[in-house]
Amino acid sequence: MTAETMRLTIRRPDDWHLHLRDGAMMAGVLPYTARQFARAIVMPNLAPPVTTPDAADAYRQRILDALPEGMDFTPLMTCYLTDETVPGQLADGFQRGSFVAAKLYPAGATTNSAHGVTDIANIRAVLAEMEKQGMVLCVHGEVTRADVDVFDREAVFIEDVLIPTLADFPGLKVVFEHITTKDAVDFVLAAGDNVAATITPQHLMLNRNALFEGGLRPHAYCLPVVKREEHRRAVRRAATGGSPKFFLGTDSAPHARHAKESSCGCAGIFNAPFALETYATVFEEEGVLDRLEAFASVHGPAFYDLPLNEGTVTLEKAPAMVPDAVQAGEETLVPFCAGMTLGWRLA
Ligand code: NCD
Ligand code: ZN
Ligand code: ZN
């Protein structure tokens, strides 16, 4: 990394957790990611979900077809696990490169998770095969039981699901996605090298007060929901502390403005337009801009056993105004930090 007074040049980063959606929405949001990131782990929670190698290949092709001329971006596809996932088909999809990882959505945990896994016991043979293959399991780590408080769902998931699963499959590679709590940070740090986590901009920047600041704030709502300040601080220390177990995953999750500003608003924050700028702001606030490159561009590929990117991106210390809204196809989207001015912009 070379840091001059006002410029920061880092190896080109990747986004290890991204929702691109499909159709016109996908075509509209894709350039925001591709201008910053060389690769992204593309989440499979479409309707219907991406559950087969052929569906992943077709989705990858739709993404590549929608990529504007001259942009260079590689989608890394994932398989949506269900109670019916066949271990052999998953392994074939991994070996032929259709899937880079598989995603565990506990049924009912989040957007388009209705087809997700109803009980981890139903995918034991799948997990055994993934452990054997060295295939990464990406996890939305929240229990869905109605008797568990929504702010405790991640912590309970660690005890009820992650600890027993890793006891049974100690070599399984797990990415605990979009972590939000000190509990998750402590768990990942204490686990073996086969366990890592992604961290989003919103969980670095917001605590749960943001949901209610002067009124109900649907654009601060995502899952797992933002937590208390002590948890935000722990997640910040994890992201900026230099451990290779933590890396960049935006969880950029576009939903049309009308679907967010609703009596039952969708979960998901569309942070792709200024993702790198928001992370840079956080690393600067913590006084460790020199660690941004490892978090954004090195730890992720190392965990996934993929090569580092060759190119670079340059951020400059200059005001970046985040617009109130952007268009994607016919839809209006409200980006994360809408209306704010960030201290960094992509050169
Ligand atoms: C994501 C989405 O909208 O697809 N929403 C979210 O709040 N994070 C799903 C997810 O990552 O859980
Ligand atoms: Zn999730
Ligand atoms: Zn997500």
Side-chain angles (χ1 to χ4, degrees), residues 24-39:
M25 172 81 93
M26 181 262 283
V29 301
L30 176 61
Y32 293 111
T33 289
R35 92 188 166 102
Q36 308 172 61
F37 298 106
R39 298 170 291 200

Side-chain angles (χ1 to χ4, degrees), residues 179-182 184-185 189 198-207 228-243 246-247 277-288 291 295 336-337 340 342:
I179 57 166
T180 64
T181 57
K182 178 169 189 305
V185 170
L189 283 173
T198 55
I199 297 179
T200 76
Q202 60 266 23
H203 294 111
L204 292 168
M205 295 179 88
L206 306 182
N207 66 32
R228 284 182 182 275
E229 177 63 5
E230 65 187 280
H231 293 295
R232 185 186 73 102
R233 285 182 180 280
V235 170
R236 271 201 172 220
R237 282 195 299 274
T240 60
S243 164
F246 301 103
F247 42 87
E277 291 89 336
T278 52
Y279 286 112
T281 302
V282 168
F283 276 71
E284 183 183 38
E285 284 168 4
E286 297 294 323
V288 290
R291 292 186 184 156
F295 175 77
F336 183 49
C337 297
M340 287 172 52
L342 300 168

Side-chain angles (χ1 to χ4, degrees), residues 17 19 103 105 110 140 177-178 223-224 251:
H17 182 136
H19 300 271
K103 181 67 190 262
Y105 290 105
T110 188
H140 180 107
E177 300 289 343
H178 47 41
L223 287 169
D251 191 24

Side-chain angles (χ1 to χ4, degrees), residues 106-167:
T110 188
T111 304
N112 288 342
S113 63
H115 300 277
V117 173
T118 60
D119 185 336
I120 192 91
N122 295 337
I123 59 164
R124 289 187 62 86
V126 168
L127 298 179
E129 184 64 31
M130 291 180 69
E131 182 182 34
K132 195 169 108 195
Q133 299 283 336
M135 183 178 185
V136 171
L137 177 71
C138 301
V139 179
H140 180 107
E142 289 192 288
V143 295
T144 57
R145 299 198 327 258
D147 62 313
V148 179
D149 189 281
V150 69
F151 290 98
D152 296 333
R153 288 181 180 182
E154 183 175 280
V156 174
F157 186 87
I158 296 169
E159 300 297 325
D160 283 12
V161 182
L162 277 182
I163 290 174
T165 300
L166 282 160

